[in-house]
C-alpha cells in the first residue's frame, strides 16, 4: 500500500470524476488520497456530494473530504483533472507550476504546441513535448492531455491505416452516447426516440485534435477532416462511421490486415490500464454495436467493423469506444501510467518518487 | 365520388400498405376499391387481418375483403404495390401486362433501364421511359417505381446542389428509423439504447439508385457515392449526414441559396400529395431532428439543416425525411398523381379514364 | 376578433406554458394578449425566450413582449397560471385580489377548502366554492385550479364507477411520461432503458386531490388511496394501473357499462375544449398505450382499457391521458370555459365581460 | 473436472437457454455435456445455431452438436429445460420417465400438486413433493420447476412479510423488461417510447403461482392477488409495485425489519448460485431501478425499496429482479443445486451420482 503513488482527482463528483475514482480504487500503482470539486461541495464527504451516483464508491472513498481545487489544499505528485473546460485551464496551470503532473481530460491546452495530446498506443513519443513545456513555462510539474472522447475512438481506428498508407482525407459521422454530455447533461425530452445532429464544439475538436495526434511531434498531420456529430439515445459508447482516402488506393484486404496486425506503441510497458487488444477488428456484418461491445477490454478496447472499400476510392469502417473510459478517465489513467513508466528522468525534479521497483523502467 | 379513379393496394396489411390505405381514404383523385395481400390473409376482412395496427382504418375500409394479388382478382387501372421485394417482381409484371399502371414501392425493377425511378420534384422527365418500357415489353400497362426510403431523402437534398454545381463525390451516413424495417421488423432487444451499423442491401440501393435518379434519363449520374447506414432507436424518420463535392468549390452561402431557391419540377401541376415546400432549409444549429421535423408537409417535406463548408473542400448538410411517407407510400402516391397528370396520351390505351376534367392537363 | 375575451398566461415559456399558448392561438373564445415569465425573460420577445421549443408559435405570438407576473404589468380578466409551485401561490393571490379569474395549473391552493379543484366533466358543481372564497378573502377575482396531471387521469376513470357504485378503496400504480417533469426535467441518463419508482410529492397529491375531487363540495371522499408512482421512458402520456373496491361487489359487465354510459356533467355546455368523448373505453386486450392513444380527443380524452374483476373482489382497469393536455393546459382551459359559461352572475363584478351572446347561458 | 455432474440444456439456443449455457460454463458442480433444440437446429454446432447472441460462448461450447430433445439422444442425470411452454410438457415428462432430474423453467407442470414450484430460499421444503410425484407417476426421475419471472421477484419480496405477518391481500403492478419475451420477442415498434398494459397469460401465472409458493406444501396460500402487468422499454429487470395487507396492521418499521432480518431457508447449504443477499433492502427514495440494480448478486439478488405504510392500511414496496437470472436460468440452477444437496436418498435410484464428497450433505 505504502508503495503506491498518491494521486488526486479534480472535478471528482461529475460523471468522469466518478469514473476516475472507481478505477483508482483498484489501481495497482496509484492511491487516491484527495478529491477536489467546486465550492458547492468542498468540505463535504465525497459520498454525500454526489448528485448522481453512477457507481457505488467504497466507504473509505465516501469518507474523503472534498478539497478546493488548489495546490495549497491538494498535495499529490499526480493530479487528474476531470474539471469542466470553463475552469480547468488556470487550475491545471497552478498545479503544474506547483510541481504536479497534471493529467487532464479537460479540453484546455490540448492544442498547445508544447503540451502532449496523447493516446499512448498511438503517439507515446509526443510525451517528449514535456521538456519544451517545462523549459518554456518554467514549471517543475507538467500538463499532459488526452483527446476528446469521440476523437480518441476515431484516432485509434485510423492510426494503423495512417501509419501503413498515409491518410489524405477523412469523412466522419459520429453517433454519440448521452453520457458524453455529463450529468444532468442531455434532457430526456430532447433525445428519447430522437437524434440531434449537433454537439457544441465537438466537430472542431475532432478536426483539430486528430491532426495533432496523428501528425508528428512538431506539426499536425497533413490530411483534411470533414466531421458531422450526432447525439443518439445510447447510454455509453460513441460510434464513428468513417470514410478515408490515403496516399494510394487501399484494398479491403490491406486495410483489414493493417488493422489486425497493428501493434501498440506501449505494448511492452506493462501499463495496467492498457488493454490486451486496444483495437479489435470484427468480421460480423452488424458489429460493432454500443450495447454489445462498449465494455470490451474493461472499456479500453476500440472495436472496429465493416471494413471495406467504398464508392469513392477509399476505405470505410465503423469504430466504437467507451466515451467515459477510452474517451476520458481510462485514457487519462493510461497517460499517467505512461508518464510514470517512461519518465524516470523527468520524475526526479517533480513530485513522483523516482525508484519504485515495481514499475517498469520503460 | 364516382369521378375518382379506382385504385388497389397490394401488400395492404403491412406498415407501408397501411400508410397507403390511410392516405387513400382521404385522397381527392383516387378511390380505394381493392386490397391484396398474401394467402394467409385473403378472404378475410381487411380490418381483421392487421397484426399491427399503425392506424385506425374507416369501417368501410375494414370491411373490404382481402383479394389475392392477381390481375384476375383485382381489377383497377392503378395498382399500388407495397409488396415485399421477394414476391413483388412477377406480381407487378403480371398487373402491368394486364394493363394496369403499377406504382410500386418495392425494390424490384427500380434499376431497370426502361423503368422510371421517380421523385417527381426531381426527375419527372424520367417518366418518358414508360414509352420504351411498353414498346419493349409489349405491355398495355406499365411499372413506375419510387426510390428506397433513405435514397429518397438523400436525393431530394442533393438535387438542388447537383443541378446548380454538378455533384462529383458523395459521402453519406444514415441514421434510420425502425419503421423502415416494417413490422415486426427490428426486435426491441437489438435496438433499445443501441445502434446497429448495418441494414441488409441498403447501402447498395443508396449508391445505385441515387445515381439513376440524379443522372439523365439515359445514363446514371457520374458521381461516386460512399454510403454507411445505421439503424437507431427512432420510430419514424431517416436522417442522412451528407458530405459532397462538386465540379467546383462551393461556399456555404451558395449552397444555402441553391437549396432555398430550388424549385420543384412539378410545382405547377397541382398534385394533391406534393407538399408546398418539398425541401425546407433550417437555420437552427441543432435541426433537423426526427421527432420534431418528421411530419412537416404531412410527411412529404424533407428538412435540411447544418449546411456548411467542410474540411475537405466540400459541403456538409443533414437531411431528414419520413421513411413511410416521402420514402414509401407518399412517394408512390405522388408518382401516381404525376402519371395521371402528365400522361393523358398514355392513359388512353391503359385503364385510366382519359378525361377527368378536374385533373390538370399537364 | 374583438369579441374574444383577453387572457394572459403566466409562466408562458415552460412546457405547460407553451401548451397553453399553442391552444390559445386557435381558441374561439379567448385571445392571448399577454405572456408573463420570470425575471430572466421579462422584456424579451416571447419567441426568443424559449429555451426548448415544444412547438412553433405564430409570428404574432413570438412578438409578444414578456411581462413580469404582476397585476400592474398584466391586465386581463382571465389569467392562466403555468407557474412553478414555488412561486405560484402569492402571484396567483395578487391577481385574484386585483380582480382577475386565475385559472391555475400550479399545485398551490388546490386543497384549500374554498378553492375549486375542478375536472368539469366530474365536479363542475364545486365551482360554487368561489362564492365562499370571495366572501372569505374579499377578492373581486378568484382562483380555480385543476388537478395534478396523474390525478386528472385517475379521477376521470374512477368518477363513473364512484358515482355508480361508491368507491371504498383504491390502489394505483402510475407509469408517468418524462414531459410531466417539464424541461430540462428528467436527465436522459436517469431514464433511458430504465424505470424510476419515485416522483417528488406526486403520491401525496394523488391521494389527497382525488378525495377532494370525487368527494362532495364540502368534504373529501370517504375512500382510501394507496399510490405508487413511477417514471418511464415515454414522452407524453401518464398510464395509471388501478384496482378499486366499492360499497358492493361489482362485475366486469357492470363496471364496463358504467364507464361506457357515463355522461359528462358539462356535456351540454358546448365548451370548446370539452372532447366529444371524455372517457373512451377500449375492448382490445393490449390498450390503452401512450404512443397510440395519447392524442385522442386532441389530448383531452382519457382512454380506459382492461376493465375486469380482480382477485381481491374489486375491479381493475388501466387509464391513460395526456399529462400536458388533460393533466395541465387543456384542463385549465376547460376550467376557464366552464367559468365563463356558468358564472354570468359572478362575471359582473369581475373583469369578464358579462354578456357575450355566443357563450352558452349555462 | 471428472467429478462434476454432467448436465444438458434443452432449448439451449434461446435467450434463457443461452443464459443457462453461460452460467454452466463456469459452474463448480455441473458440466455441460449436451445441448438440445428444435429440429431446425439439430445437427448443427451450437455456435452456428444462435440467431441472436446474447453472449459469447466458449469455443468448446460452440462446438457442441445440437441434439434432438429426446432421452435417446441426450443422456444426463440433470436436464435443464428452457423450452417453450408449447412443447415443454411431454418432453420434460419423457426425460423424467427415463430417469433424469428435469429442472424446468417452462410454465408446464408448475401448478401440478405433485410438482415442486421452488424458490429455494423461500420454500425448499416443497421439494418433498417429489416423493409423491415419483410414487404417483412411477418415474425414476422427477420434474422440479421454478416460477414465472415476475412471480419469482414478487414472492421473494413478499416471503419475509408473509412469514412474519400473514398475507391476506396483494395488489401488484409489474413493469417488465423486453428480454422477458425472448428473442425476437417484442417488436421495437411496439415498445419504443411506449408502455403495453398486457402480457399473454402473465397475470394468471402471478396469481396462481404465488399462492402455491407462499402456501404450505399441500395447499395454496389463503390470500388474494390482484395483478396488472405491463411491458416497458427496459432491456433486463422486472419491477413489481406491490401493496399488501396482512392478518394485522403492520408498520413501516416492522415491515422493514422483517425484510432486513429475513433469513434464507438455504443459507447454510453453500449452494453456488445462492447469492449472499437474496433480498437487499434499499433506503434511497428512488430505488430500486432496473438499470442500476438488476445485476446485484450476479443477477440473483432481488432489490426492494420504498417500503412504507399506505393509505389503505397495508404496506407498499417496490421489488426488482433480473428476469433471465432470478426469474429463469439462475433460478433453475439454484433448484438443481438444492436437489443435489438435499436429496442424497433420492439421488440413488436416479442418475445422479450419490456420493460426491464436495457436495454438502444437506
Amino acid at each position: 500500500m505504502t508503495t503506491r503513488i498518491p494521486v488526486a482527482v479534480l472535478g471528482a463528483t461529475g460523471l468522469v470524476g466518478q469514473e476516475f475514482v472507481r478505477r483508482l480504487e483498484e489501481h495497482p500503482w496509484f492511491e487516491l488520497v484527495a478529491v477536489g470539486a467546486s465550492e458547492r461541495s468542498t468540505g463535504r464527504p465525497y459520498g454525500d456530494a454526489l448528485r448522481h451516483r453512477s457507481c457505488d464508491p467504497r466507504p473509505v472513498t465516501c469518507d474523503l473530504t472534498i478539497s478546493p481545487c488548489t495546490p495549497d489544499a491538494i498535495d499529490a505528485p499526480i493530479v487528474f483533472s476531470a474539471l469542466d473546460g470553463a475552469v480547468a485551464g488556470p487550475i491545471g496551470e497552478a498545479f503544474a507550476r506547483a510541481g504536479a503532473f497534471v493529467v487532464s481530460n479537460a479540453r484546455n491546452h490540448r492544442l498547445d504546441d508544447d503540451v502532449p495530446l496523447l493516446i499512448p498506443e498511438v503517439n507515446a513519443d509526443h510525451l517528449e513535448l514535456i521538456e519544451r513545456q517545462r523549459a518554456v513555462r518554467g514549471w517543475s510539474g507538467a500538463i499532459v492531455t488526452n483527446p476528446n472522447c469521440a476523437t480518441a475512438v476515431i484516432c485509434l481506428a485510423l492510426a494503423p491505416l495512417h501509419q501503413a498508407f498515409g491518410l489524405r482525407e477523412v469523412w466522419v459521422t459520429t453517433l454519440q452516447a448521452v453520457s458524453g454530455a455529463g450529468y444532468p447533461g442531455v434532457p430526456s425530452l430532447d433525445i428519447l426516440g430522437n437524434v440531434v445532429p449537433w454537439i457544441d464544439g465537438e466537430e472542431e475538436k475532432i478536426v483539430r485534435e486528430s491532426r495533432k495526434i496523428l501528425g508528428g511531434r512538431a506539426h499536425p498531420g497533413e490530411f483534411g477532416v470533414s466531421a458531422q456529430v450526432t447525439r443518439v439515445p445510447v447510454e455509453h459508447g460513441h460510434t464513428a462511421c468513417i470514410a478515408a482516402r490515403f496516399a494510394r488506393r487501399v484494398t479491403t484486404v490491406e486495410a483489414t490486415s493493417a488493422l489486425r496486425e497493428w501493434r501498440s506503441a506501449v505494448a511492452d510497458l506493462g501499463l495496467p490500464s492498457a488493454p490486451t487488444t486496444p483495437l479489435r477488428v470484427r468480421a460480423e456484418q452488424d458489429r460493432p454495436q454500443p450495447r454489445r461491445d462498449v465494455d470490451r477490454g474493461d472499456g479500453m478496447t476500440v472495436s472496429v467493423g465493416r471494413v471495406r472499400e467504398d464508392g469513392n476510392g477509399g476505405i470505410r469502417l465503423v469504430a466504437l469506444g467507451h466515451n467515459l473510459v477510452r474517451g476520458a478517465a481510462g485514457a487519462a489513467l493510461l497517460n499517467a501510467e505512461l508518464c510514470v513508466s517512461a519518465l524516470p528522468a523527468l520524475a526526479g525534479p517533480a513530485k513522483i518518487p523516482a525508484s519504485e521497483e515495481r514499475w517498469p523502467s520503460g
Side-chain angles (χ1 to χ4, degrees), chain A:
Chain A
M1 241 12 179
T2 54
T3 66
R4 291 192 295 159
I5 304 174
V7 302
V9 174
L10 308 181
T13 58
L15 217 53
V16 172
Q18 289 186 56
E19 186 68 24
F20 269 119
V21 167
R22 194 177 74 76
R23 290 181 170 257
L24 286 169
E25 287 187 329
E26 302 183 343
H27 200 278
W29 294 5
F30 303 138
E31 180 176 5
L32 179 65
V33 297
V35 287
S38 68
E39 224 168 281
R40 190 171 53 80
S41 302
T42 52
R44 301 174 62 190
Y46 180 65
D48 294 356
L50 302 175
R51 263 191 305 177
H52 166 87
R53 279 196 178 215
S54 56
C55 51
D56 290 320
R58 294 181 185 165
V60 64
T61 308
C62 288
D63 288 346
L64 286 173
T65 300
I66 295 178
S67 303
C69 292
T70 65
D72 290 343
I74 292 178
D75 182 27
I78 296 178
V79 173
F80 293 101
S81 171
L83 292 167
D84 186 88
V87 300
I91 293 177
E93 292 171 18
F95 276 92
R97 194 175 300 116
F101 256 74
V102 177
V103 184
S104 175
N105 180 58
R107 67 167 188 262
N108 319 69
H109 300 296
R110 283 185 192 149
L111 297 173
D112 294 359
D113 58 13
D114 60 351
V115 174
L117 176 59
L118 292 174
I119 301 176
E121 291 96 331
V122 171
N123 67 342
D125 59 321
H126 287 212
L127 197 54
E128 294 176 19
L129 293 176
I130 286 181
E131 289 188 55
R132 194 202 312 173
Q133 183 188 133
R134 290 172 146 187
V136 170
R137 309 202 187 204
W139 291 345
S140 54
I143 294 178
V144 300
T145 64
N146 58 275
N148 158 273
C149 49
T151 308
V153 176
I154 295 165
C155 285
L156 250 169
L158 285 177
L161 302 173
H162 181 51
Q163 290 165 12
F165 312 114
L167 268 180
R168 283 298 173 267
E169 294 172 309
V170 177
W171 292 263
V172 61
T173 298
T174 65
L175 295 82
Q176 301 190 209
V178 295
S179 65
Y183 186 88
V186 183
S188 51
L189 273 174
D190 284 338
I191 202 68
L192 273 175
N194 202 21
V195 164
V196 179
W198 180 74
I199 300 170
D200 193 12
E202 196 84 353
E203 289 161 2
E204 194 180 353
K205 288 177 196 164
I206 292 172
V207 170
R208 299 177 69 182
E209 295 181 14
S210 61
R211 297 175 67 188
K212 175 167 177 178
I213 294 163
L214 296 177
R217 253 155 297 174
H219 49 274
E222 295 187 343
F223 53 87
V225 180
S226 164
Q228 171 71 49
V229 298
T230 71
R231 185 78 71 190
V232 292
V234 163
E235 189 186 7
H236 301 304
H238 289 355
T239 301
C241 301
I242 302 173
R245 287 205 294 221
F246 304 91
R248 66 166 177 87
R249 192 143 183 160
V250 175
T251 67
T252 302
V253 170
E254 287 174 322
T256 306
S257 297
L259 289 162
R260 286 196 194 278
E261 291 161 17
W262 179 71
R263 195 170 150 72
S264 153
V266 297
D268 297 330
L269 298 187
L271 308 183
S273 297
T276 313
T277 312
L279 208 58
R280 174 169 170 160
V281 183
R282 302 197 67 114
E284 302 94 325
Q285 63 194 358
D286 62 350
R287 300 289 273 267
Q289 296 176 16
R291 237 196 25 234
R292 293 186 178 147
D293 298 311
V294 72
D295 289 324
R296 300 271 158 195
D298 199 20
M300 287 296 283
T301 293
V302 167
S303 297
V304 169
R306 303 222 55 218
V307 183
R308 65 200 189 276
E309 295 162 45
D310 75 2
N312 282 332
I315 291 290
R316 268 214 172 264
L317 56 82
V318 177
L320 167 84
H322 197 306
N323 48 297
L324 293 181
V325 184
R326 174 51 83 174
L333 277 167
L334 189 59
N335 281 356
E337 294 162 9
L338 176 67
C339 291
V340 168
S341 172
L343 294 177
L346 287 177
K351 298 181 180 178
I352 299 182
S355 59
E356 285 294 325
E357 293 189 9
R358 54 191 303 194
W359 308 336
S361 60

